[in-house]
Amino acid sequence: MKHFTRLFTQLDATTKTNERIEALRIYFDSASPSDKIWTIALFSGNRPKKPVNSKQLRQWAAELAQLPLWLFEETYHVVGDLAETMSLIVPENTAKNDVSLSTVMCELVELRSKSDDEKRHYVTKRWSEFNSNERFVFNKLLTGGFRMGVSRKLTVKGLSLHTGIDENTLSHRLMGNPDPLTTTFEKLILSPDDDENLSRPYPFYLAYPLEEEIGLLGKPADWSAEYKWDGIRGQMIARGGRIYLWSRGEELVTDRYPEFEGLENLLPEGVVIDGEILAFAAGKPLDFAKLQKRIGRKKAGKKLLKEVPVVLMCYDILEYEGRDLRSEPFAVRRKLLEKIVTDCDSSQLLLSPVIPFEAWSELKPLRENARTLKTEGLMIKHQNGVYKTGRKRGEWWKWKADPYTADAVMIYAQRGHGRRANLYSDYTFAVWKGDDLVPFAKAYSGLTDKEMKQVDRFVKQNTLEKFGPVRSVNPEMVFEIAFEGIVESNRHKSGIAVRFPRIKRIRHDKEPKEADTLERLKNLIRVKA
Amino acid sequence: MAQLIEFSNKGLYVPPADIYIDPWKPVNKAIITHAHADHSRYGMNHYLAHEDSANVMRLRLGDIHLSTLKYGESFVQNGVKFSLHPAGHIPGSAQVRVAYKGEVWVAGGDYNTEPDVRICAPFEYVPCHTFITESTFALPVFKWQKPETVFTAIKNHHAQNKAAGKITFLFAYSLGKAQRIMAGLSGETDVFHTHGAVHNVNEALRKQGLDLPPDIRITRDTKPADLSGKIVIAPPSAAGSTWIKRFKPRSTAFVSGWMRLRGTRRRRNVDNGFILSDHADWDGLNKAVQATGAERLFVTHGYTGVYAQYWRDRGLDAREVVTDYTGDEGSESENEEKA
């Protein structure tokens, strides 16, 4: 753990990309193969299930520190990070011990099935052996909240320097959440056997938001336009007589969507299709909110399957006859995709239509209208573009319809976490229903650090009541809130639910009574339908 | 019975003597625990403080009517006996003992139970019936390392920077922390380089008789190359200012108790954080409260609610008090400068 903790501390201490990549390289150069594979898995967000629930952990930490639980909780609210709170509160160790990351990870995998007493004994023993930095990392592994700003991309760069293998090849080898318990560094990275990896997906190519004037892209004839579908990204693989469906989160979700059963007989062998898993009925997409009911469900019931049927809206092809097509131009891939989907003739595989246009001006009204078709806007793709890895500028643009906006009054504020611990950074916003303010959205992004400090000061000076980490405040500050979608919801007091709300700006120029009404927001739903 | 010290809207007030302690609004007579700006304010007719606070108070408040006491020295006003006792926070910082008709109260001001004795007198545990305690770091996550350990880490940090040809910038509050760093790092460098705010305080304290390592004030004429491999001490407000921009290459670090938390460390966006505070940590506060033998506790500025509750659970009559000393629980913008 000392070795891995040192890496963590180095990564944590700098925001400079080159220094972080160098820290990763140095670590990989000296780490054991089993530590390397676990490190890759952890940085890819692939970790074992939580072996211990956090309530137990809090209790054990408080007991070890001889503190009442309420004091632990109060402290946690201030620190804003459970793993950190526990590592700082537990008495300093006397025993010195070092175990490898992979040993600890294997212990954590086994711990899950142990009795509560055994769990407690194990955790407190490890706590007493580690110093506070090691304890922090250990707690992060325990609580599962392991994020330290190391993206897949960064890991791949460090790994590329270490192995000499190019980044694209490595990105592909890391796809599909490899399990450190069943694979090795040798098998996964150094000399992979492709037959063993029939289900392995390609890294997704992600579009960049188009912020400049669309005319600046150049000649319209060089580009292709489609709607931006409002579902979840999916990659369908037909290999070895089976189909596999992957989500963008690299989760294998084949079993969640029984609609696609049987496609293995219709699709030719060795085909990989990129598209959108979309709720779709009677020839039209359904609200994203409907799809959400399916996303989390491991097995959908009959009623739900009928209410929210799903298709794959296909827009690219990455493999044909077992051959990687990603370096072919988009126009070539698109032709092939059209042929495959048409030949397949399945009501589950739809072709995302190309929107014909001769001048950019023709696209503008389509984008403005995109929401009425339950799409998010338009996608603009270069005819000659190859299929890249990750989010890259230049050839794939998403041109989203403008978000909805509403002016709302802040009524609650909550302390943030991590970098924002101890700052009131999460807010609840309300709109008017008669003379009452009804909460309708929570948002915690969109402000600059300076603005956040300003709001923090306002919250501290205008507190009405405190409830744990939450404060109610004088309803005086007005904010413009942007959001992507709005649907009726009987789970919310306001009767509406908005999607991806964020703060657009502070409206110092507006009085609270000038904020929007609930009536106006409900009207948006009517207009949309 | 009325309280010997009342918490009025102007400050801590001792009615029978008509004297305030650390008032935040203009009054006739004020006893000042220490020279930090939120405790030592403008506008009092008469000031009384420890003799080591005199020069810095005059530097900051100008020509004031000020009398001074030594630690342990006392005076009586209308039958109320006042005396000052070392608080260990910064040079000249004091706890105020107030005794009247057999009842003893102590106002702790800001205090540190483990100070650097080269900079200020060791903290004195003063027995009393009622203790007024600060609570800047009154949470069990705040536990300080030994100062030697911290200074070893700063020395290593400096050695690395020196080898890389970088200037080592240490951000620290100009009164108290800056001098503590200089004392702790003495021998590490021939001469420290300081921001004007730090330099002025150093000069005022030297005149007061404090033995500090030499420092050179950074001026318009200071060339970045002159500072290569050197240590610069500057107030936190210098971080990210235009003042610092021309000094490159540099490595920046905060020296503060708040650096104990990863969130505050990261938010500061400096290369390093070193945990060194002029306030008592959790154990230090508890030890102080216990050692006074007080039955009643008033908790001011910091994690007031939590700390009062902690001692109520342990049988003391403990209450939280609202003062003007800092914003609110951990409003670092102000707090961290002194921490």
Side-chain angles (χ1 to χ4, degrees):
Chain A
M1 283 293 277
K2 291 198 188 310
H3 197 197
F4 185 67
T5 303
R6 196 178 322 127
L7 170 66
F8 172 82
T9 313
Q10 283 172 343
L11 292 172
D12 201 37
T14 177
T15 49
K16 298 188 181 81
T17 307
N18 284 337
E19 289 178 14
R20 308 187 90 204
I21 294 169
E22 184 59 8
L24 282 162
R25 182 193 64 81
I26 293 170
Y27 171 82
F28 283 129
D29 280 354
S30 52
S32 71
S34 47
D35 277 9
K36 279 192 271 200
I37 193 95
W38 272 110
T39 302
I40 292 167
L42 289 168
F43 288 174
S44 308
N46 176 19
R47 54 182 166 261
K49 283 193 179 139
K50 274 205 251 180
V52 183
N53 72 45
S54 81
K55 197 177 162 204
Q56 285 176 315
L57 284 174
R58 293 164 205 231
Q59 270 168 359
W60 301 338
E63 280 167 29
L64 211 59
Q66 298 182 310
L67 293 171
L69 197 58
W70 71 263
L71 180 55
F72 180 89
E73 298 292 343
E74 287 285 345
T75 306
Y76 167 38
H77 287 319
V78 173
V79 176
D81 183 305
L82 182 61
E84 185 184 0
T85 310
M86 295 191 295
S87 67
L88 294 178
I89 217 161
V90 168
E92 269 311 312
N93 64 318
T94 43
K96 294 275 179 244
N97 196 355
D98 197 19
V99 287
S100 69
L101 172 69
S102 48
T103 308
V104 169
M105 293 315 299
C106 292
E107 287 169 355
L108 295 184
V109 170
E110 284 165 21
L111 193 63
R112 224 174 113 72
S113 54
K114 298 262 167 83
S115 74
D116 284 356
D117 270 354
E118 285 169 313
K119 286 180 181 177
R120 182 200 162 99
H121 180 254
Y122 170 77
V123 171
T124 51
K125 177 171 154 287
R126 284 289 181 225
W127 276 345
S128 69
E129 287 166 354
F130 293 143
N131 71 28
S132 74
N133 283 339
E134 291 156 18
R135 227 167 19 225
F136 175 60
V137 172
F138 175 70
N139 287 342
K140 282 281 176 199
L141 300 173
L142 266 179
T143 52
F146 203 82
R147 274 211 326 229
M148 48 188 189
V150 182
S151 60
R152 169 73 66 85
K153 206 163 142 189
L154 208 67
T155 314
V156 164
K157 280 182 193 286
L159 206 52
S160 173
L161 288 176
H162 166 59
T163 55
I165 302 172
D166 75 275
E167 290 173 26
N168 278 341
T169 308
L170 283 175
S171 296
H172 190 194
R173 288 183 184 169
L174 292 186
M175 288 301 285
N177 285 330
D179 180 358
L181 290 176
T182 56
T183 187
T184 63
F185 189 74
E186 173 73 26
K187 273 208 299 206
L188 183 75
I189 302 294
L190 300 180
S191 48
D193 175 357
D194 285 329
D195 287 346
E196 271 187 34
N197 296 306
L198 279 178
S199 70
R200 191 168 62 193
Y202 290 99
F204 287 93
Y205 181 13
L206 307 173
Y208 235 87
L210 182 69
E211 267 145 13
E212 62 207 50
E213 173 56 37
I214 190 155
L216 295 174
L217 290 182
K219 279 197 304 214
D222 291 341
W223 297 84
S224 170
E226 294 165 52
Y227 280 108
K228 184 177 184 324
W229 303 103
D230 194 9
I232 58 167
R233 190 77 178 270
Q235 192 177 126
M236 181 169 286
I237 296 175
R239 288 183 195 135
R242 287 185 58 186
I243 59 153
Y244 306 90
L245 184 63
W246 290 91
S247 72
R248 209 190 101 191
E250 283 169 55
E251 220 182 331
L252 196 56
V253 294
T254 325
D255 297 340
R256 291 187 193 186
Y257 304 101
E259 285 95 338
F260 301 122
E261 272 171 29
L263 279 177
E264 62 271 19
N265 302 321
L266 298 175
L267 280 168
E269 169 66 16
V271 163
V272 176
I273 291 173
D274 184 15
E276 195 90 354
I277 302 170
L278 195 62
F280 197 88
K284 281 191 293 194
L286 303 175
D287 268 323
F288 182 79
K290 297 247 173 188
L291 182 65
Q292 241 165 350
K293 294 185 187 174
R294 294 282 305 267
I295 291 172
R297 207 66 70 84
K298 282 247 156 71
K299 265 245 162 349
K302 265 194 192 139
K303 195 172 153 233
L304 188 58
L305 282 174
K306 206 169 162 199
E307 189 197 329
V308 188
V310 156
V311 299
L312 186 72
M313 187 59 85
C314 306
Y315 38 70
D316 214 326
I317 181 163
L318 313 183
E319 183 177 303
Y320 179 62
E321 293 178 333
R323 193 168 60 87
D324 183 347
L325 295 181
R326 291 178 298 160
S327 49
E328 299 285 340
F330 173 72
V332 173
R333 297 200 309 272
R334 172 75 203 188
K335 278 250 145 50
L336 190 57
L337 177 74
E338 285 171 8
K339 180 181 177 309
I340 302 273
V341 173
T342 315
D343 289 353
C344 191
D345 193 24
S346 155
S347 54
Q348 255 55 58
L349 290 187
L350 304 183
L351 195 60
S352 168
V354 165
I355 302 170
F357 69 102
E358 275 163 21
W360 292 117
S361 58
E362 294 168 37
L363 291 181
K364 287 181 185 171
L366 295 180
R367 168 184 173 254
E368 277 157 31
N369 250 335
R371 283 185 199 288
T372 55
L373 301 173
K374 307 229 175 193
T375 64
E376 288 189 296
L378 300 180
M379 292 292 302
I380 313 291
K381 297 176 180 176
H382 198 279
Q383 300 280 15
N384 291 328
V386 301
Y387 192 93
K388 296 179 182 171
T389 293
R391 199 175 296 285
K392 299 275 160 60
R393 275 179 176 280
E395 290 171 343
W396 270 29
W397 298 101
K398 51 180 173 186
W399 197 29
K400 285 175 115 174
D402 287 331
Y404 298 104
T405 61
D407 291 331
V409 187
M410 174 172 67
I411 56 169
Y412 298 108
Q414 182 169 0
R415 287 198 201 104
H417 285 261
R419 211 167 74 87
R420 291 154 157 193
N422 223 4
L423 258 188
Y424 284 88
S425 63
D426 301 9
Y427 319 114
T428 302
F429 298 99
V431 288
W432 294 104
K433 183 184 181 184
D435 292 336
D436 295 330
L437 279 167
V438 190
F440 89 105
K442 272 185 167 181
Y444 50 87
S445 67
L447 294 180
T448 63
D449 281 4
K450 202 174 153 198
E451 287 170 325
M452 204 184 293
K453 272 195 176 155
Q454 196 184 342
V455 180
D456 179 69
R457 208 173 312 129
F458 171 86
V459 169
K460 284 169 179 167
Q461 287 166 357
N462 286 279
T463 298
L464 299 174
E465 278 180 284
K466 302 181 189 177
F467 327 86
V470 180
R471 293 177 174 206
S472 62
V473 297
N474 282 318
E476 280 173 17
M477 267 190 111
V478 180
F479 293 74
E480 186 175 342
I481 309 299
F483 49 95
E484 292 302 320
I486 179 166
V487 288
E488 278 179 41
S489 163
N490 47 23
R491 285 191 309 178
H492 295 82
K493 200 173 161 189
S494 58
I496 56 172
V498 294
R499 187 159 156 224
F500 188 34
R502 69 266 186 196
I503 300 164
K504 203 169 169 203
R505 57 186 165 145
I506 305 177
R507 295 296 305 252
H508 290 297
D509 56 321
K510 286 218 168 180
E511 293 290 320
K513 52 177 188 296
E514 297 175 70
D516 274 309
T517 61
L518 187 58
E519 202 45 45
R520 195 207 132 218
L521 295 185
K522 286 189 168 165
N523 253 329
L524 289 177
I525 304 178
R526 256 165 251 144
V527 171
K528 197 175 62 143
Chain B
M1 181 197 132
Q3 289 183 182
L4 180 52
I5 298 181
E6 288 175 359
F7 301 98
S8 83
N9 56 9
K10 292 180 180 167
L12 277 52
Y13 181 53
V14 187
D18 192 21
I19 287 179
Y20 284 83
I21 300 169
D22 290 352
W24 49 83
K25 290 207 171 119
V27 300
N28 188 30
K29 287 182 180 175
I31 301 178
I32 303 300
T33 60
H34 66 287
H36 275 152
D38 57 329
H39 291 257
S40 170
R41 300 193 190 225
Y42 290 99
M44 318 301 158
N45 289 337
H46 301 273
Y47 290 85
L48 185 138
H50 184 264
E51 55 182 13
D52 288 348
S53 293
N55 273 351
V56 180
M57 283 175 67
R58 289 212 166 92
L59 172 72
R60 294 185 161 182
L61 301 178
D63 188 17
I64 51 171
H65 191 283
L66 171 67
S67 22
T68 60
L69 287 179
K70 294 182 195 311
Y71 291 127
E73 205 179 332
S74 63
F75 72 96
V76 177
Q77 175 87 21
N78 291 349
V80 187
K81 187 179 169 189
F82 291 89
S83 53
L84 300 184
H85 304 266
H89 176 56
I90 60 168
S93 67
Q95 308 175 71
V96 184
R97 182 182 185 273
V98 185
Y100 185 59
K101 293 181 177 169
E103 193 185 348
V104 179
W105 288 49
V106 168
D110 286 349
Y111 65 87
N112 178 11
T113 51
E114 307 284 339
D116 185 330
V117 293
R118 287 170 292 190
I119 296 298
C120 48
F123 181 84
E124 184 181 335
Y125 296 92
V126 187
C128 57
H129 300 105
T130 302
F131 185 44
I132 303 170
T133 183
E134 59 136 319
S135 57
T136 308
F137 289 112
L139 288 176
V141 280
F142 294 110
K143 292 182 208 164
W144 310 147
Q145 294 169 303
K146 288 199 177 69
E148 305 90 84
T149 314
V150 179
F151 284 117
T152 306
I154 298 180
K155 284 175 187 172
N156 290 338
H157 169 71
H158 173 229
Q160 275 179 15
N161 291 339
K162 200 171 169 178
K166 290 182 183 174
I167 313 169
T168 300
F169 274 89
L170 299 176
F171 298 118
Y173 196 62
S174 48
L175 170 56
K177 187 67 62 63
Q179 293 74 37
R180 195 167 167 201
I181 292 171
M182 288 169 66
L185 295 179
S186 64
E188 181 70 7
T189 175
D190 301 339
V191 63
F192 291 92
H193 293 266
T194 47
H195 183 278
V198 175
H199 183 76
N200 290 341
V201 172
N202 286 347
E203 288 297 290
L205 288 170
R206 282 192 187 104
K207 271 187 218 147
Q208 202 78 63
L210 191 70
D211 183 20
L212 282 172
D215 70 295
I216 303 175
R217 179 192 188 130
I218 291 176
T219 64
R220 243 169 247 244
D221 303 326
T222 310
K223 295 188 179 62
D226 301 344
L227 301 182
S228 177
K230 307 283 194 209
I231 298 174
V232 178
I233 303 176
S237 55
S241 68
T242 44
W243 177 82
I244 204 169
K245 277 201 182 125
R246 66 193 179 100
F247 298 113
K248 282 194 279 195
R250 63 175 179 267
S251 171
T252 55
F254 249 95
V255 187
S256 159
W258 292 107
M259 295 297 111
R260 174 83 169 157
L261 299 186
R262 184 165 168 250
T264 53
R265 213 160 55 223
R266 286 155 64 93
R267 188 157 66 240
R268 272 304 181 172
N269 215 358
V270 285
D271 301 318
N272 255 284
F274 296 103
I275 308 163
L276 186 75
S277 178
D278 287 336
H279 292 263
D281 67 0
W282 172 254
D283 292 335
L285 288 164
N286 290 340
K287 193 175 165 199
V289 170
Q290 239 160 357
T292 61
E295 297 146 8
R296 188 154 53 157
L297 189 68
F298 288 100
V299 183
T300 64
H301 60 302
Y303 297 99
T304 50
V306 174
Y307 201 52
Q309 180 66 46
Y310 177 76
W311 280 105
R312 270 200 299 282
D313 283 3
R314 311 186 130 221
L316 290 198
D317 174 9
R319 287 173 229 178
E320 111 184 68
V321 178
V322 178
T323 62
D324 246 19
Y325 297 140
T326 57
D328 186 22
E329 44 197 71
S331 78
E332 297 132 41
S333 43
E334 291 140 305
N335 247 351
E336 118 184 287
E337 303 223 332
K338 318 185 271 116

